[in-house]
């Protein structure tokens, strides 16, 4: 009876974390799709050819899809107690942790470079503001007007730095929960092995 209770507790917590990651993956896919389809945001105003938007969409969409597929793999391994799927799930989660650490370091290291590109794009939009030769840029100017009404460059800088740190904080929070998820998965794997050995 104790082994069965322990199995249920493992399954409960693993599925709880797995469900949270599933929601996270769906949110990433939704955010990427929103950026791609919404034409009235600051990203589209600063990106004339949609190269940046497509790049961001691919990153968020790909990461979201990979997270959803990873969650499906984890659910199948947890629910059916398939040990090879559990190991594959733990290995892929460990790989995701490594990628997250590298991306966090990259974001932090390239923060000033991104800030400089951001400034150059805003300066370009401002220099072309109100040009009668560019009526297709009216949405950009509308967004620029809205940004200027709600504050100046200092507020944009403050917003950028606060959000960059928030993203890093979220990233490290996810990293901690992934490490916990890997630990639980390995413990569950061992528990299944012990149960199989005890039943022989």
């Amino acid at each position: 009876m104790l082994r069965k209770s322990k199995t249920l507790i493992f399954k409960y917590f693993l599925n709880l974390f797995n469900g949270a990651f599933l929601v996270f993956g769906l949110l990433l896919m939704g955010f990427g799709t929103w950026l791609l389809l919404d034409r009235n945001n600051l990203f589209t105003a600063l990106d004339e050819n949609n190269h940046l938007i497509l790049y961001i969409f691919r990153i968020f969409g790909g990461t979201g899809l990979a997270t959803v597929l990873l969650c499906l793999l984890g659910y199948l391994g947890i629910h059916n107690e398939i040990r090879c799927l559990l190991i594959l799930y733990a290995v892929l989660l460990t790989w995701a942790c490594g990628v997250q650490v590298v991306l966090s370091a990259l974001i932090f290291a390239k923060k000033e470079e991104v800030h400089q590109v951001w400034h150059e794009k805003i300066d370009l939009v401002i220099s072309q503001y109100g040009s009668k030769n560019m009526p297709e840029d009216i949405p950009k100017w509308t967004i620029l007007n809205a940004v200027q009404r709600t504050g100046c460059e200092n507020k944009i800088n403050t917003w950028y730095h606060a959000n960059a740190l928030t993203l890093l904080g979220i990233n490290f929070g996810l990293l901690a929960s992934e490490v916990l998820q890997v630990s639980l998965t390995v413990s569950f794997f061992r528990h299944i092995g012990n149960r199989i050995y005890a039943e022989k």
Side-chain angles (χ1 to χ4, degrees), residues 28-29 31-33 35-36 50-66:
L28 281 176
M29 287 173 42
F31 182 69
T33 304
L35 278 178
L36 184 67
N50 286 334
H51 295 301
L52 178 65
I53 299 296
L54 286 173
Y55 184 68
I56 292 172
F57 168 72
R58 288 180 187 142
I59 289 173
F60 281 119
T63 304
L65 182 63

Side-chain angles (χ1 to χ4, degrees), residues 42-79:
L42 190 58
F43 289 112
T44 55
L46 299 177
D47 187 27
E48 302 136 5
N49 301 326
N50 286 334
H51 295 301
L52 178 65
I53 299 296
L54 286 173
Y55 184 68
I56 292 172
F57 168 72
R58 288 180 187 142
I59 289 173
F60 281 119
T63 304
L65 182 63
T67 303
V68 168
L69 292 176
L70 183 63
C71 289
L72 178 64
L73 177 74
Y75 175 77
L76 289 173
I78 295 163
H79 182 70

Side-chain angles (χ1 to χ4, degrees), residues 130-143:
S131 174
K132 292 182 180 11
N133 298 338
M134 302 176 156
E136 69 275 1
D137 286 347
I138 291 175
K140 288 182 189 179
W141 302 329
T142 305
I143 292 169

Side-chain angles (χ1 to χ4, degrees), residues 2-45:
L2 182 63
R3 287 186 195 273
K4 188 173 183 180
S5 297
K6 197 172 182 182
T7 301
L8 288 175
I9 291 170
F10 270 122
K11 283 185 174 185
Y12 173 77
F13 281 108
L14 282 169
N15 280 320
L16 185 70
F17 279 108
N18 204 31
F21 281 114
L22 178 65
V23 169
F24 173 70
L26 292 172
L27 284 173
L28 281 176
M29 287 173 42
F31 182 69
T33 304
W34 170 72
L35 278 178
L36 184 67
L37 299 178
D38 184 24
R39 294 287 141 214
N40 295 320
N41 64 50
L42 190 58
F43 289 112
T44 55

Side-chain angles (χ1 to χ4, degrees), residues 94-171:
T94 304
W95 179 79
C97 289
V99 169
Q100 243 178 295
V101 167
V102 169
L103 286 178
S104 295
L106 215 93
I107 287 170
F108 193 72
K110 298 290 185 178
K111 187 170 73 169
E112 293 305 318
E113 189 176 315
V114 169
H115 192 258
Q116 184 62 34
V117 171
W118 179 276
H119 268 289
E120 290 171 6
K121 289 286 190 177
I122 288 176
D123 289 344
L124 180 67
V125 170
I126 290 171
S127 69
Q128 296 172 347
Y129 184 82
S131 174
K132 292 182 180 11
N133 298 338
M134 302 176 156
E136 69 275 1
D137 286 347
I138 291 175
K140 288 182 189 179
W141 302 329
T142 305
I143 292 169
L144 184 62
N145 287 338
V147 167
Q148 287 177 341
R149 264 187 246 116
T150 58
C152 59
E153 183 178 349
N154 288 338
K155 286 191 178 181
I156 292 173
N157 287 338
T158 302
W159 175 87
Y160 174 78
H161 288 293
N163 285 315
L165 290 176
T166 301
L167 280 175
L168 284 174
I170 290 170
N171 209 358

